[in-house]
Amino acid sequence: MRKFNKQELIQSMDGALKLRGKINEIIDPLFNKGISNICWLGIGGTYASGMQANIHMKEKSALETFYQNAAEYIVTGNKRITDKTLVIISSVTGNTKEMVEAVKKLNEVGTTILGFMDDPKAKLVSSLTYCISYPENEQLKFFMVGDRLMYLNGEFPDYEDFYQQMEQYFAQDIAEVSVKADAFAKDFAQKHHDDAIHYFVGAGNQWGATYSYAMCYWEEQHWLKTRAVEAAEFFHGMFEIIDRDTPVTVYVGEDSQRPLSERVAHFLPEICGNYTIIDAKDYDLPGISEKYRGTLSPFVFHAINNRIDIHIEHLNRHPMDIRRYYRALDY
Amino acid sequence: MRKFNKQELIQSMDGALKLRGKINEIIDPLFNKGISNICWLGIGGTYASGMQANIHMKEKSALETFYQNAAEYIVTGNKRITDKTLVIISSVTGNTKEMVEAVKKLNEVGTTILGFMDDPKAKLVSSLTYCISYPENEQLKFFMVGDRLMYLNGEFPDYEDFYQQMEQYFAQDIAEVSVKADAFAKDFAQKHHDDAIHYFVGAGNQWGATYSYAMCYWEEQHWLKTRAVEAAEFFHGMFEIIDRDTPVTVYVGEDSQRPLSERVAHFLPEICGNYTIIDAKDYDLPGISEKYRGTLSPFVFHAINNRIDIHIEHLNRHPMDIRRYYRALDY
């Protein structure tokens, strides 16, 4: 398999799961002291991860939770964010301009900020209330925070059982998804690596990831045009431009919004001959109970998408690290 | 001017403004009794209007307000929506499948629902707590609700002054924007009526409208491909696909998020030779104070967009009422 190191992948995910102790040490006293609401603040990819964490919590929780774009926060503010708010952020470099400014503003408000920084020396670290440094696995980190909050709020009684399964099987299972998906991913890349525009449809805890995959991978890293659409919105305007040859990919996850994606997947073949349905159900996750699979769909899709990227990168002879504008020009 | 009846347009907007008395008769006792939060529920175009109303309130308000997709609500629910929530909806026909089901679920929760129905005989009417029937002007109706809530919450002291100006000048001013914009709109349509894909960038109270204009007008009614992007997100991936010939339109409004759109408008000419900047500032609104113009930017853009549509419709000889799939097939 091209650019695949199974052991490294497993270690990375297992290491992320081991952050749970640290996370809980931070979250438990905060929750017990009392927080009024939870804000996932980000921009670009981390904004998208916030969308996912937010929907993940909405599945079960009555806590007030919302996501907030960092750039919007700088100019418009958000009066729901107070010194009783828990803000969660994530950053690879810790020097994204909008994030630095937004955190400065949050500090003025006196908000509690938990930041996941890939780089322990990131500029932002000193402005955070709590910092956990570990590379990648953003969604997993966010879900662990959300899950703990819901557990403490009495909304996730299976919490211990779920994480016992996660620690035992998750990393291995997701690595196996990568292996299983590779042949499909290669075919998919072959078929779509030169698309004039590609449509991605997602719902629920996969919507943020769909938004981000279309924008941060195909647009930013492959320089391929895309349009992401929420499955529920597909039928409200957007589908009128689809015809026989329009390339459309639908992610069908196993969370509560599965029926919304299924509706698209069922109808699409009637009007389109160039569609792909990627269904999380087609991938085994041995050791994980059926009832937890919905939460894990984004990780299944993430593994599949990574394999697609590796093949597109090679077919297009376009190394994914190239940027023509991002952090290359002043803007 | 093609398909333009100034008097009809003015009457329509003035009539909408006259709904304010009815709106306040409903909102005032509700607010005084106590509501826990405000939910803008919709799908497609009405979902987008909810985004706008939500951002409009965030400019000033500490009230908990959020928008909710109707289809998502049916499958995932939302535990923040309780019998203390005020839900605001709008519907032209009142028979949109997802809206009918979502309202049924809201009724089970015992939520207060204020619905604006274009058709007074709409199926939904009997399921609403309060119904106001009047055609079109959805955004104006939503803003009047939001403004009253903020006024009652002590966050909009200029409320009376603002609406005094609105009643005196708004309809006439917006009609004049249509007249002024027509020549530009005709040129724009000429240039872009056959685009392979068109990019629309918007921010703040224009973001929902940008999302909806791209989807509900260009995709749904002109069958032209589009991708709408939030100005803040433009720099986080999406802009890597823009080159000399990519058609991009940026809406620069006058609300608090103006700097986000301005940032795109300033940078775009460096990488793109096929851009259009539409700036609300270029349009006079006689009688309206400078400080209120930010709220009115979406109405300015709406008037301009309507003129663009009328010219594209004619150039493409594609009547905007044609749908190939929407409500034409089962899905």
Side-chain angles (χ1 to χ4, degrees), chain B residues 58-286:
Chain B
K58 277 195 183 170
E59 292 276 327
K60 302 190 185 79
S61 187
L63 293 166
E64 184 190 349
T65 168
F66 54 92
Y67 59 95
Q68 169 69 54
N69 189 291
E72 287 186 356
Y73 181 64
I74 297 163
V75 291
T76 303
N78 184 332
K79 295 198 169 62
R80 298 297 296 171
I81 299 178
T82 69
D83 58 357
K84 297 269 180 294
T85 301
L86 168 61
V87 176
I88 301 111
I89 67 169
S90 170
S91 182
V92 177
T93 59
N95 64 14
T96 310
K97 196 179 157 193
E98 294 93 333
M99 292 301 286
V100 172
E101 271 189 68
V103 165
K104 200 174 153 194
K105 186 163 176 164
L106 290 170
N107 284 338
E108 286 160 17
V109 174
T111 302
T112 301
I113 313 173
L114 166 57
F116 293 96
M117 299 286 124
D118 284 26
D119 177 359
K121 288 178 187 142
K123 186 178 170 185
L124 267 180
V125 173
S126 62
S127 310
L128 306 172
T129 321
Y130 305 100
C131 179
I132 294 179
S133 289
Y134 186 82
E136 300 175 344
N137 299 284
E138 187 168 88
Q139 208 56 52
L140 197 48
K141 296 165 181 169
F142 277 13
F143 280 14
M144 286 192 285
V145 173
D147 286 344
R148 188 64 179 183
L149 287 163
M150 295 192 289
Y151 164 75
L152 294 170
N153 206 40
E155 298 167 325
F156 193 0
D158 294 338
Y159 175 87
E160 294 294 353
D161 180 55
F162 173 69
Y163 277 102
Q164 187 268 319
Q165 291 186 16
M166 286 292 279
E167 281 160 17
Q168 203 168 347
Y169 303 109
F170 174 72
Q172 180 71 37
D173 284 359
I174 295 297
E176 287 302 334
V177 169
S178 306
V179 174
K180 185 184 170 189
D182 193 55
F184 157 77
K186 195 171 180 177
D187 287 348
F188 183 91
Q190 196 70 54
K191 200 171 163 192
H192 296 293
H193 70 98
D194 214 18
D195 282 351
I197 179 167
H198 195 99
Y199 288 83
F200 290 101
V201 185
N205 59 17
Q206 182 60 14
W207 163 242
T210 305
Y211 171 91
S212 148
Y213 185 56
M215 184 168 80
C216 304
Y217 289 77
W218 283 50
E219 288 183 334
E220 179 173 338
Q221 301 186 52
H222 298 306
W223 301 357
L224 289 169
K225 293 185 168 109
T226 61
R227 152 114 155 91
V229 65
E230 287 177 88
E233 292 285 280
F234 176 83
F235 297 104
H236 289 272
M238 180 262 153
F239 73 158
E240 288 285 338
I241 58 90
I242 293 187
D243 62 17
R244 188 188 66 189
D245 301 319
T246 317
V248 186
T249 294
V250 187
Y251 295 99
V252 183
E254 296 181 77
D255 64 345
S256 67
Q257 293 190 32
R258 180 175 178 85
L260 305 184
S261 299
E262 275 182 330
R263 190 179 178 205
V264 179
H266 289 154
F267 175 70
L268 191 56
E270 304 301 314
I271 59 166
C272 174
N274 193 10
Y275 66 88
T276 305
I277 313 294
I278 304 182
D279 191 336
K281 261 204 173 141
D282 293 338
Y283 292 84
D284 283 342
L285 298 171

Side-chain angles (χ1 to χ4, degrees), chain A residues 57-78:
Chain A
M57 291 192 69
K58 277 197 181 167
E59 292 275 329
K60 302 188 185 84
S61 188
L63 293 166
E64 183 190 350
T65 168
F66 53 93
Y67 59 95
Q68 169 69 54
N69 188 290
E72 287 186 358
Y73 181 64
I74 297 162
V75 292
T76 302
N78 183 332

Side-chain angles (χ1 to χ4, degrees), chain A residues 78-281:
Chain A
N78 183 332
K79 295 198 170 60
R80 297 298 295 170
I81 299 177
T82 69
D83 59 356
K84 298 270 180 293
T85 301
L86 169 61
V87 175
I88 300 111
I89 67 168
S90 170
S91 182
V92 176
T93 60
N95 65 13
T96 309
K97 197 179 157 194
E98 295 92 332
M99 292 302 287
V100 172
E101 273 190 66
V103 165
K104 200 174 154 194
K105 187 164 176 163
L106 289 171
N107 284 339
E108 285 159 18
V109 174
T111 302
T112 301
I113 314 173
L114 165 57
F116 293 96
M117 298 288 124
D118 284 26
D119 178 357
K121 288 177 189 144
K123 188 178 170 184
L124 267 180
V125 172
S126 63
S127 309
L128 305 173
T129 321
Y130 304 100
C131 178
I132 294 179
S133 290
Y134 186 83
E136 303 177 340
N137 299 286
E138 186 169 88
Q139 208 56 51
L140 196 49
K141 296 165 181 168
F142 278 13
F143 280 15
M144 285 191 285
V145 173
D147 286 344
R148 187 63 179 186
L149 287 162
M150 295 193 290
Y151 163 75
L152 294 169
N153 206 40
E155 297 167 327
F156 192 180
D158 295 337
Y159 174 87
E160 294 293 354
D161 180 54
F162 172 70
Y163 277 102
Q164 187 269 322
Q165 292 186 15
M166 287 291 281
E167 281 161 19
Q168 201 168 349
Y169 302 109
F170 174 73
Q172 180 70 37
D173 284 358
I174 295 298
E176 287 301 334
V177 169
S178 305
V179 175
K180 186 185 168 187
D182 194 56
F184 157 78
K186 195 169 180 179
D187 287 349
F188 182 91
Q190 196 69 56
K191 199 171 166 193
H192 295 293
H193 71 98
D194 214 17
D195 282 351
I197 178 166
H198 195 100
Y199 288 82
F200 290 102
V201 184
N205 58 17
Q206 181 60 15
W207 162 242
T210 305
Y211 171 91
S212 150
Y213 185 56
M215 184 168 80
C216 304
Y217 289 78
W218 282 50
E219 287 183 335
E220 180 173 338
Q221 302 186 52
H222 299 306
W223 300 357
L224 288 169
K225 293 187 167 110
T226 61
R227 152 121 159 79
V229 65
E230 288 177 87
E233 293 286 281
F234 176 84
F235 298 104
H236 289 271
M238 181 262 153
F239 73 158
E240 288 285 338
I241 57 90
I242 293 187
D243 61 17
R244 189 190 63 188
D245 301 319
T246 317
V248 186
T249 294
V250 187
Y251 295 99
V252 182
E254 297 181 76
D255 65 343
S256 67
Q257 293 191 33
R258 181 175 178 83
L260 305 184
S261 299
E262 276 182 328
R263 191 181 178 205
V264 179
H266 289 153
F267 175 69
L268 191 56
E270 304 301 313
I271 60 167
C272 175
N274 194 11
Y275 65 88
T276 305
I277 312 296
I278 304 182
D279 190 336
K281 262 204 172 140

